[in-house]
């Protein structure tokens, strides 16, 4: 069975709500894809190496990804080098007080070094979360799981 890993960090609860929405969307493919939701402090190299695709969720802090997401990336970057022959398909969701572009840009830059392959546009929820933001996160989760289920990536 294919594995989708959702790694997130949340301080206010907004990114957690987006992560849970993405999980709900991914569960539409539950018979084909095992989806795991982990806080960034609980995710590590083993989970990263075992997954077939990755969804990262972060708040935007000072125009950057959260320190806890950065910690996950710092802990896994060098140990993950040369451990996989394939580029991990990934996508991103951001809860932003500003425009979210700084957080997206920094994660995309880091992702190229793993290497990961972006397979969907980032979902950026600006300001207070709306139902449209949550639906976009659900669709992102479903897209990732369906892509795995149908062998698209």
């Amino acid at each position: 069975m294919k594995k989708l890993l959702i790694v997130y960090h949340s301080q206010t609860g907004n990114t957690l709500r987006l992560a849970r929405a993405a999980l709900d969307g991914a569960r539409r493919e539950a018979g084909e894809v095992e989806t795991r939701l982990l806080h960034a402090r609980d995710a590590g190299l083993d989970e990263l190496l075992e997954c077939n695709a990755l969804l990262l969720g972060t708040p935007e802090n000072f125009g950057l990804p959260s320190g806890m997401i950065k910690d996950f990336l710092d802990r896994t970057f060098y140990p993950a080098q040369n451990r996989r022959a394939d580029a991990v398909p990934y996508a991103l969701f951001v809860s932003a007080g500003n425009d979210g572009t700084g957080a997206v840009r920094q994660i995309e830059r880091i992702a190229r070094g793993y290497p990961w392959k972006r397979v969907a546009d980032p979902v950026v929820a600006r300001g207070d979360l709306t139902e449209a933001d949550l639906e976009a996160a659900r669709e992102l989760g479903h897209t990732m799981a369906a892509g795995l289920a149908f062998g698209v990536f």
Side-chain angles (χ1 to χ4, degrees), residues 50-117:
E50 291 172 1
C51 77
N52 301 101
L54 175 68
L55 257 175
L56 285 175
T58 185
E60 174 192 56
N61 293 338
F62 305 108
L64 299 170
S66 74
M68 191 60 70
I69 286 293
K70 181 72 169 58
D71 175 73
F72 166 72
L73 298 170
D74 286 344
R75 286 184 287 112
T76 59
F77 185 81
Y78 288 111
Q81 296 301 295
N82 303 315
R83 300 278 302 268
R84 293 184 67 137
D86 60 334
V88 175
Y90 88 96
L92 172 66
F93 55 93
V94 177
S95 173
N98 264 327
D99 63 8
T101 58
V104 169
R105 185 174 44 253
Q106 289 300 314
I107 288 181
E108 288 181 340
R109 185 175 181 201
I110 293 167
R112 284 190 296 271
Y114 268 88
W116 295 341
K117 177 184 173 187

Side-chain angles (χ1 to χ4, degrees), residues 116-129:
W116 295 341
K117 177 184 173 187
R118 190 179 90 178
V119 295
D121 289 335
V123 168
V124 179
R126 294 171 180 89
D128 294 332
L129 289 185

Side-chain angles (χ1 to χ4, degrees), residues 12-39:
T12 65
N14 285 340
T15 310
L16 175 58
R17 289 177 61 204
L18 291 169
R20 287 181 176 155
L23 177 64
D24 288 344
R27 285 184 172 159
R28 295 179 196 164
E29 302 296 331
E32 302 293 324
V33 176
E34 176 187 328
T35 303
R36 190 165 182 200
L37 175 67
L38 290 176
H39 189 280

